[in-house]
Structure formats: structure tokens, C-alpha cells
Amino acid sequence: MAKPKPEYDRISELKAFDETKAGVKGLFDSGIKNVPRMFHYRPDKLDKNSSVSNGIHVSIPVIDLAGVKEDPGTFRNIIDKVRNASKSWGFFQVENHGIPLSVLQDMKDGVVQFFEQYLEAKKKFFTRDYSTKNVAYNSNFDLYSSPAANWRDTLFCLMAPKPPVPHELPEVSRDIMMEYSKQVMQLGCLLFELLSEAPGLQPDHLKDMGCTQGLGMLSHYFPACPQPELTLGTTKHSDNDFLTVLLQDHIGGLQVLHQNQWVDVPPTPGALVVNIYS
């Protein structure tokens, strides 16, 4: 007579995974062939089809910021585009935003270098205490509360208003994290100015509200998955901040929800995705 299968103990599986501090990258490095059950999503949550509305493929607006501070006419034209994109989408891409391509590439390389370094070096940053730590590495901030884990590891760094001192940042990516955050803060100030003027407010309206003071940096790492049909790298969600500036790598996979349709946002070299929905 066959023995009954033991009842699935999700909490024990989560704890065992978390205690390794190796994250999803550790599972990948171990050579697993089957995705653990803790990552499995219900089939109805795995609708990965991109949208085609009435047979026409749609895409989020792209706004060229070239000359934004050089010509009043260009400035007004860009404000009009920001207003329209914000009202109709809540998302847009920006090109010629002032951040050098070399900085964007170095930032992407820095993320890979952090997650692909020796585990002992990463373990120093492992924590689930976001209240007292400016720098936190782990897999799934909501690991113990979500219905299924995402196939993803994350490094979180609070870069403003009280930036970490250099030795608090990972040595392998320290310099580029500091440079990239400085550049993004400058771009953020410009975006908040445009978003202030778009509805007819004063240029410093959002700045005076303190919107330009904070900056959190999230660096995600998605190892190759042996059974991608069972899980997701990132589930559908709304960002919990005022403004998100997203740098994609070459892999892609980002989608945004527009008029109840999921729309692909393919990576565009040099472009950044801006999300103003909270």
C-alpha cells in the first residue's frame, strides 16, 4: 500500500530558502531542473499575452527631452507631451535625458556584478529589516505574505535624502551606484518641473512639496528559469512611490496596463521608462 504524500509545508520551504541567503541565483547555480512549489502561480495568474487592441499594436509614448532647457518653444512642446502622456497613460519613455549611455551601461553591469559575485560577499547585505538599513539584499520583500514568490533577487538602497556612506554600499558596484543616483536625481528634478507645469502649476510646485528629496534604488536580478511557464519574475503591481524611473536591460519583458490591456514596453537603447502612477 502506497504511503500518502506528506502535506505540503509552505512555511518550511520558505524558511529553508530564505536561510540560505543565496536567493533565486542560488537555486540557478545549484542546477535545479524543477521550479520549487513556493514559486508556482495559479494558471489564471500566468496570462503572459501582450495586448493587441483591435488588431493594432500599441506602444507607450516616447518623449525626446533634447533642448528642453534651450528653447522656450521646445520646452512648451515637451510639457504638452508630458501632459498628454500622463493623462492617457501614466507612463512614457524619455530619450536624450542627459544621462550618458556609458553611465546607463555601467549601472546595468554593476547590478550583474553584485548578484554574480561570491555568495559570502552578498550575505553581508542580506536583511529583511528595511527600517534601519539603507542597503538591503534579499529575494522577495514580501516572501512570507505573497501567494507565490517571484523568480527574482533584489538589492535595495536608500540613496536620498540621507545617502549611505560609501563603505555601506557594495564594493563591486559602489562607484556606479553613487554616480547613477546623482544623475537620476538631476533627471528627477527636471521631470518634477515638467509635471508641475503640465497642469498649469508653478515650476517648483512639486519640489516645494518635497517630492525631489527622496530616492530609493531597486536593482532586480532575474536568473534563467528552467520552467518559466510556472512562475513570474515580477507580478502585476502598482509602484508605491510618486515617480519611478526605470532602466531596462536588453532582455525585456516589461508590460504596462493601458485600458485593461497589457502592453509590451520593449527595451530601447538609451531610453528610460517613467511611471507616474502610485
Side-chain angles (χ1 to χ4, degrees):
M1 184 175 179
K3 293 183 179 180
K5 292 184 178 180
E7 184 177 348
Y8 174 59
D9 187 349
R10 177 174 173 79
I11 295 298
S12 293
E13 185 179 34
L14 292 173
K15 288 182 177 178
F17 167 77
D18 208 27
E19 287 171 0
T20 68
K21 302 181 180 180
V24 177
K25 178 65 163 57
L27 296 177
F28 171 79
D29 289 342
S30 72
I32 65 165
K33 302 299 182 183
N34 298 302
V35 170
R37 185 170 170 179
M38 57 180 277
F39 293 96
H40 291 194
Y41 278 85
R42 298 201 323 257
D44 61 310
K45 299 295 184 180
L46 291 169
D47 182 7
K48 301 178 181 180
N49 294 326
S50 59
S51 73
V52 178
S53 179
N54 296 323
I56 301 174
H57 207 81
V58 293
S59 58
I60 70 171
V62 178
I63 300 176
D64 189 344
L65 297 181
V68 65
K69 288 294 188 177
E70 298 172 4
D71 176 68
T74 299
F75 185 69
R76 299 312 309 177
N77 183 48
I78 290 173
I79 288 176
D80 289 342
K81 291 181 178 179
V82 168
R83 181 190 306 111
N84 294 334
S86 301
K87 288 174 62 176
S88 60
W89 283 82
F91 294 88
F92 52 89
Q93 292 197 82
V94 290
E95 297 180 324
N96 295 310
H97 41 67
I99 303 180
L101 290 175
S102 60
V103 172
L104 300 181
Q105 186 60 52
D106 287 349
M107 185 66 239
K108 289 185 284 188
D109 292 344
V111 172
V112 172
Q113 289 165 6
F114 172 80
F115 287 104
E116 295 187 353
Q117 65 183 323
Y118 290 116
L119 177 57
E120 291 305 313
K122 289 190 292 185
K123 279 184 176 181
K124 295 186 295 184
F125 301 96
F126 185 90
T127 183
R128 293 197 175 276
D129 179 10
Y130 294 95
S131 62
T132 62
K133 301 290 186 180
N134 280 341
V135 183
Y137 149 69
N138 58 49
S139 181
N140 289 260
F141 74 93
D142 57 352
L143 182 68
Y144 294 98
S145 60
S146 63
N150 289 330
W151 193 260
R152 179 191 74 218
D153 298 331
T154 299
L155 175 67
F156 168 78
C157 300
L158 184 63
M159 304 300 291
K162 295 181 179 180
V165 294
H167 76 263
E168 292 181 301
L169 295 170
E171 182 178 1
V172 69
S173 54
R174 177 183 302 155
D175 292 344
I176 187 56
M177 291 176 70
M178 296 174 66
E179 176 62 23
Y180 181 71
S181 64
K182 181 182 73 174
Q183 299 267 359
V184 169
M185 285 291 281
Q186 294 174 355
L187 174 59
C189 289
L190 171 61
L191 292 172
F192 279 121
E193 180 180 346
L194 295 172
L195 290 168
S196 293
E197 294 223 24
L201 302 173
Q202 293 298 312
D204 289 338
H205 183 83
L206 293 174
K207 180 180 179 181
D208 291 343
M209 291 176 60
C211 293
T212 62
Q213 295 178 5
L215 175 64
M217 181 185 294
L218 285 168
S219 301
H220 296 309
Y221 182 84
F222 305 90
C225 182
Q227 294 176 299
E229 70 277 7
L230 297 179
T231 189
L232 293 168
T234 301
T235 50
K236 63 179 181 180
H237 65 279
S238 295
D239 290 347
N240 61 355
D241 53 12
F242 190 108
L243 180 76
T244 299
V245 177
L246 175 64
L247 170 62
Q248 294 195 79
D249 64 11
H250 64 286
I251 301 298
L254 176 67
Q255 293 182 323
V256 302
L257 188 62
H258 176 63
Q259 297 180 350
N260 295 318
Q261 299 281 344
W262 286 104
V263 178
D264 288 333
V265 185
T268 300
L272 294 166
V273 179
V274 178
N275 173 12
I276 64 169
Y277 277 179
S278 60

